[in-house]
């Protein structure tokens, strides 16, 4: 069997989700009713039977550590292999780039009993079958495979994405860093497959030359020298770069077809276990087109919403087009529309909060 | 190794033949309950919350699913370095071996296991009752009253008392007489099948009982009467919360309906007394635009497009468009097609109810569909 090493790289994350990423890293932002964003990448790695996963964190990583724990839920609590959370080694030093951190933990790569490495960020919502990616990587004899997806979102104002330019045989010939993608642009998913030995060599070379960025200094700088192959991911994957796109991509999971494609028609998406009771619907509950997680008590009306574990919607309360995170509570007669409540938010009796154009976040533990 | 204050012996070997097709391939304690649990989860969670860290689970009938479900006990915090959960099937030693002949014999055959921990007391409980109980309070009562044996009792309606083992007590709740299913009960205090024994005393009685060829080796029928006869101090411990024996299909259905009471008579979601379960991983449930869900418990992994009223849906249940589910208990992985009507039905795990089937007893009786059945509308009409 192939021996694959998984690397989840949180070093390049940007706090694009405003209040939701003020106190937590992007990878641990809740998503889809009971998940954190990182669960999708973790589960995609499980699908390719990785024996070892390293999560390189930059900052605000308490929640991701708490969430991943021993890795048990992803079947990664092994005696010698398993899950490794690798934060910066020196709190006083400014992080120069992901390569610096890879280098600081180079022993992790050296010790790993693997020949192939998958590197991916922690916030992509998708089901990528890495078995297929590795198959192409090997059949093309590529040194590095770069995953991309053709952009299908609304125009982005901020230059947050990197574009791949490919030749006819699917090789990457150029990468435009930090651009705004247009429709159909090959957006680099910052997801790569590379041989372990080559990766170790490249990391060491770059650090010697004071180069610290994986995409720029390992991938882009070696275009033409190494065989860098593109892999087009054609499955569903929302481009999330703002609260609007975050809200919209959650809502996409209310489409039964998308829901089935993620959770019923392919490998499982694992997340941290909570011992919550089944959701309880009272005699007065009215729920339609919504995702409801366990531990919820629904006595009021819920429409077009994503309700996380342990949320209470009391009698006469109305929740529409909203995302209510874990243990939020909407009390009697309150109305919530187009709102994202972070964890443990309380909406008091009779209160009305609606946002017109843009979804609005109520910060963690706030009583509104 | 240090000795333990107490260990629990959980009787989980019964066939549960009165649960019919639900236990054809499954021990009774492993029957799904409450949408995400198995019956045994309530008792195991009671142990966890009562601070019992050593539980012997006595298995015999169809143990495979139960064995793999309990595993190393991790979901119940029973994966311990000293103690934890141990699955105890019948075994052979140099003198031979035999099946467990009765509840008392099952414990007797494992007295070496109990001796390993040198406990002062042994709690004997069964894996087929639905209740949340802090056994610590019972232990406290046991110590305070200076009892050698304490038996948990609950008041049952007088007209049902003859279905239970009835304890006749004095005004200090000391047990003076035990009547197994009496025709004319003198008391309505029923034994809950929860016994706390001084271990040294129990060992003596179990050994004597094992050598008594006339004995049925049962706690209720043999051990307790013998102890009463010898003047052992048996104390009744009154329990006043919800307790239900789910030994029959009817009572299993009733217990599920009890979960739907408002306000709740047995809260499964109490954050201070969570019921732990060997969790399967499932996506959140989807309630569609067309769906209607009232007074129901619905677990993760369900896709609901129809109407669900006063029912319990376990994980991975799908309810098609135009279907109506009422007063029913749907066990895991059941697929219900479109325009199906189910009223007062228990559907066993993995069954498929095809489009347009109508299952509804004319006399408002309960219908049981076993595990992995396929029900077509033709069949349902019969």
């Amino acid at each position: 069997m192939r021996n694959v090493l998984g690397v989840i790289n949180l070093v390049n994350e940007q706090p694009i989700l405003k209040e939701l990423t003020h106190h937590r890293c992007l990878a641990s932002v809740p998503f889809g009713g009971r998940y954190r964003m990182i669960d999708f990448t973790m589960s995609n790695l499980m699908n390719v039977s990785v024996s070892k996963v390293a999560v390189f964190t930059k900052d605000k990583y308490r929640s991701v550590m708490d969430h991943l724990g021993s890795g048990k839920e992803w079947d990664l609590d092994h005696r010698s292999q398993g899950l490794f959370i690798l934060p910066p080694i020196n709190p006083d030093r400014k992080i120069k780039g992901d390569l610096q951190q890879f280098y600081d933990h180079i022993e992790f790569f050296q010790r790993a009993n693997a020949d192939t490495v998958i590197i991916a960020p922690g916030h992509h919502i998708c089901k990528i079958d890495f078995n297929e990616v590795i198959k192409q990587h090997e059949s093309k004899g590529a040194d590095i495979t770069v995953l991309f997806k053709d952009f299908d979102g609304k125009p982005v104002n901020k230059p947050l994405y990197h574009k791949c330019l490919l030749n006819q045989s699917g090789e990457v010939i150029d990468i435009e860093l930090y651009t705004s993608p247009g429709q159909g642009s090959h957006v680099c998913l910052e997801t790569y497959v590379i041989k372990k030995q080559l990766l170790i060599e490249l990391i060491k070379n770059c650090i010697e030359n004071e180069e610290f960025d994986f995409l720029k200094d390992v991938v882009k700088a070696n275009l033409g020298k190494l065989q860098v192959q593109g892999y087009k991911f054609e499955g569903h994957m929302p481009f999330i770069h703002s609260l609007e796109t975050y809200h919209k991509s959650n809502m996409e999971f209310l489409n039964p077809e998308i829901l089935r494609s993620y959770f019923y028609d392919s490998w499982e998406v694992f997340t941290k276990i909570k011992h919550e009771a089944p959701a309880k619907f009272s005699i007065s509950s009215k729920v339609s087109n919504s995702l409801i997680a366990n531990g919820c008590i629904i006595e009021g009306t819920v429409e077009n919403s994503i309700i996380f574990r342990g949320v209470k919607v009391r009698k006469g309360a109305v929740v529409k087009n909203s995302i209510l995170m874990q243990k939020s509570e909407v009390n009697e007669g309150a109305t919530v529309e187009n709102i994202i409540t972070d964890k443990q938010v309380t909406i008091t009796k009779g209160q009305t909060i609606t946002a017109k154009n843009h979804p609005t976040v109520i910060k963690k533990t706030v009583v509104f | 190794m240090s000795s333990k204050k107490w260990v629990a012996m959980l009787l989980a070997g019964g066939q549960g033949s009165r649960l019919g097709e639900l236990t054809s391939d499954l021990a009774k304690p492993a029957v799904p309950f409450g949408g995400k649990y198995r019956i045994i989860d309530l008792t195991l969670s009671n142990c966890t919350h009562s601070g019992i860290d050593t539980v012997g689970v006595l298995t015999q009938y169809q143990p495979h699913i139960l064995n793999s479900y309990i595993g190393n006990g991790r979901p119940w915090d029973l994966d311990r370095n000293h103690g934890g959960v141990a699955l105890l099937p019948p075994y052979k030693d140099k003198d031979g071996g035999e099946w467990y002949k009765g509840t008392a014999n099952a414990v007797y055959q494992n007295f070496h296991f109990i001796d390993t921990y040198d406990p002062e007391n042994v709690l004997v409980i069964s894996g087929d009752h639905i209740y949340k109980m802090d056994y610590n309070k019972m232990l406290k009562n046991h110590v305070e009253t200076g009892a050698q044996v304490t038996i948990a009792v609950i008041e049952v309606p007088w007209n049902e008392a003859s279905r239970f083992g009835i304890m006749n007590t004095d005004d200090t709740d000391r047990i003076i007489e035990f009547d197994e299913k009496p025709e004319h009960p003198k008391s309505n205090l029923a034994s809950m099948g929860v016994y706390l024994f001084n271990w040294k005393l129990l060992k003596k009685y179990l050994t004597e009982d094992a050598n008594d060829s006339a004995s049925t080796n049962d706690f209720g029928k043999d051990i307790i009467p013998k102890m009463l006869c010898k003047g052992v101090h048996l104390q009744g411990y009154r329990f006043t919360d919800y307790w239900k024996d789910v030994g029959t299909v009817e009572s299993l259905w009733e217990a599920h309906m009890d979960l739907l009471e408002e306000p709740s008579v047995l809260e499964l979601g109490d954050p201070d007394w969570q019921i732990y379960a060997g969790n399967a991983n499932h996506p959140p449930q989807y309630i569609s635009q067309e769906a209607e869900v009232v007074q129901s418990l619905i677990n993760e992994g369900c896709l609901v497009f129809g109407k669900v009223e006063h029912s319990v849906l376990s994980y991975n249940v799908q309810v098609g468009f135009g279907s109506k589910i009422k007063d029913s208990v749907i066990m895991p992985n059941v697929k219900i097609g479109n325009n199906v009507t189910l009223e007062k039905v228990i559907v066993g795990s993995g069954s498929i109810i095809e489009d347009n089937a109508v299952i509804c007893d004319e006399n408002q009786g309960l219908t049981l569909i076993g595990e992995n059945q396929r029900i077509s509308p033709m069949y349902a009409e019969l």
Side-chain angles (χ1 to χ4, degrees), chain A residues 118-144:
Chain A
I118 297 170
I119 303 173
H123 65 281
H124 283 165
I125 306 301
C126 59
K127 298 298 282 287
I128 292 175
D129 187 350
F130 283 115
N131 292 298
E132 293 300 316
V133 183
I134 291 173
K135 210 188 275 173
Q136 185 202 293
H137 179 76
E138 289 175 350
S139 72
K140 298 256 183 185
D143 293 310
I144 303 174

Side-chain angles (χ1 to χ4, degrees), chain A residues 31-36 39-40 43 73 127 253 259 262-264 266-274 276-278 291-295 307-309, chain B residues 32 35-38 69 277-286 298-303 313-318 331-335 349:
Chain A
F31 191 91
R34 67 190 286 270
Y35 303 96
R36 304 274 186 157
D39 291 337
F40 292 84
S43 301
E73 276 87 347
K127 298 298 282 287
F253 277 70
L259 192 67
Y262 273 80
F263 301 123
Y264 293 86
S266 56
W267 60 95
E268 284 181 74
V269 181
F270 294 97
T271 189
K272 185 179 177 181
I273 286 173
K274 304 244 163 77
E276 296 280 10
L291 283 180
I292 315 271
N294 273 0
I307 312 292
F308 281 73
R309 291 187 273 199
Chain B
K36 81 173 269 192
Y37 312 96
R38 295 185 189 265
Y69 182 68
N279 265 278
N281 176 60
H282 302 287
Q285 52 182 278
Y286 176 65
I298 303 202
N299 197 11
E300 287 169 340
C302 289
L303 296 173
L313 265 54
S314 310
Y315 52 83
N316 269 353
V317 168
Q318 303 191 9
M331 293 201 170
N333 304 314
V334 168
K335 292 203 168 42
S349 306

Side-chain angles (χ1 to χ4, degrees), chain B residues 102-116:
Chain B
T103 51
N105 180 256
V107 175
Y108 171 72
Q109 288 202 35
N110 288 289
F111 82 73
H112 290 303
F113 167 81
I114 301 173
D115 267 344
T116 315

